[in-house]
Amino acid sequence: MLYCFGGAILSGMLLAEAPVAPLSNNTNMLLATLAWYLVFYCPHDLFYRCAAILPVRLVLSAMKEVTRTWKVLGGVVQAQKKYQNGLLVMVATGWAKGAGGGLISNFEQLVRGVWKPETNELLKMSYPTKVTLIGAVLFALQQNRYLPLEQHQLMSLYTGFLVITKVRMLLTGASYPFVFLETALYRVLFAAQLTDTTSTDKSKEPNGLPSGTRAADGKTVKAAPESCSRSTLSDTRENVSSVPEMRAEGTRKSPTGERDLTGAGSKKTD
């Protein structure tokens, strides 16, 4: 139920409405329960096999995209009644109502005892979440008269785009049409700054070489590891500190007051 009515529940929470209000429609509850039972517990899995046939799947997918348009528009209009000039609120509410099942998926997984934070739709958006966000922005602009289009015209264009794109993806297995746009925007807005930062870090290294190497006689040689240098330095300090002890041992005085040169002589002979 959280997945089926996630959009209505999430949009209601954003507008301070009762999140259980979508569950009060008994007809929708019975239809959702029947669909859940047939998908998972139908004898011989007949219902899922029939729904997985390509022509049937195309029709169901097209119907879902039409429903998505109405949900996005309903969320935008619902937010506009309370916040007439709140573009951000209208976009957020339309987005939540159209893609609430994906946005609420982490909470739905937590209820089922599964926790997968890497599947967060806000961090790694899927195709339905992206197209729903685009639709929410377009409908919010249209409702505030920033787009020179009527509501029915925008609905027809947006629904046609969703249906054609979804059918194309199902038939050809192609990716969604925003891959090239996202790649271009990333290269223009973010990749250039990353390249500049990398080149700046490299220029700070001596002789333009990366850390861990140094130039010697025109050749690039591996620099000694830091741990090796520290161990060598500690050995040198121990050897230096042992020299005064050896000298003191060789020049100790005997009980008679004379110097004991036996140790020094033997060491010299050795």
Side-chain angles (χ1 to χ4, degrees), residues 56-164:
V56 179
R57 190 179 178 187
L58 292 176
V59 173
L60 294 177
S61 300
M63 294 172 60
K64 181 170 179 61
E65 298 305 324
V66 174
T67 307
R68 187 189 309 279
T69 303
W70 282 104
K71 287 183 177 181
V72 174
L73 178 60
V76 172
V77 174
Q78 184 182 4
Q80 189 184 24
K81 293 178 181 178
K82 292 188 174 182
Y83 307 96
Q84 295 182 358
N85 298 322
L87 278 176
L88 182 60
V89 179
M90 295 167 63
V91 171
T93 308
W95 187 29
K97 196 159 188 175
L103 296 174
I104 209 174
S105 59
N106 286 107
F107 180 71
E108 175 258 337
Q109 292 170 1
L110 187 61
V111 172
R112 292 190 291 110
V114 181
W115 178 241
K116 297 180 180 180
E118 68 275 4
T119 60
N120 192 340
E121 284 287 336
L122 295 176
L123 301 178
K124 193 175 182 180
M125 296 184 188
S126 59
Y127 165 74
T129 306
K130 292 180 180 180
V131 294
T132 305
L133 177 59
I134 294 174
V137 173
L138 293 177
F139 281 111
L141 294 176
Q142 189 275 328
Q143 291 295 320
N144 286 272
R145 305 300 179 184
Y146 290 111
L147 285 181
L149 292 174
E150 296 296 331
Q151 179 176 313
H152 65 277
Q153 294 176 343
L154 182 58
M155 288 184 63
S156 301
L157 292 175
Y158 182 68
T159 305
F161 170 77
L162 292 182
V163 172
I164 293 174

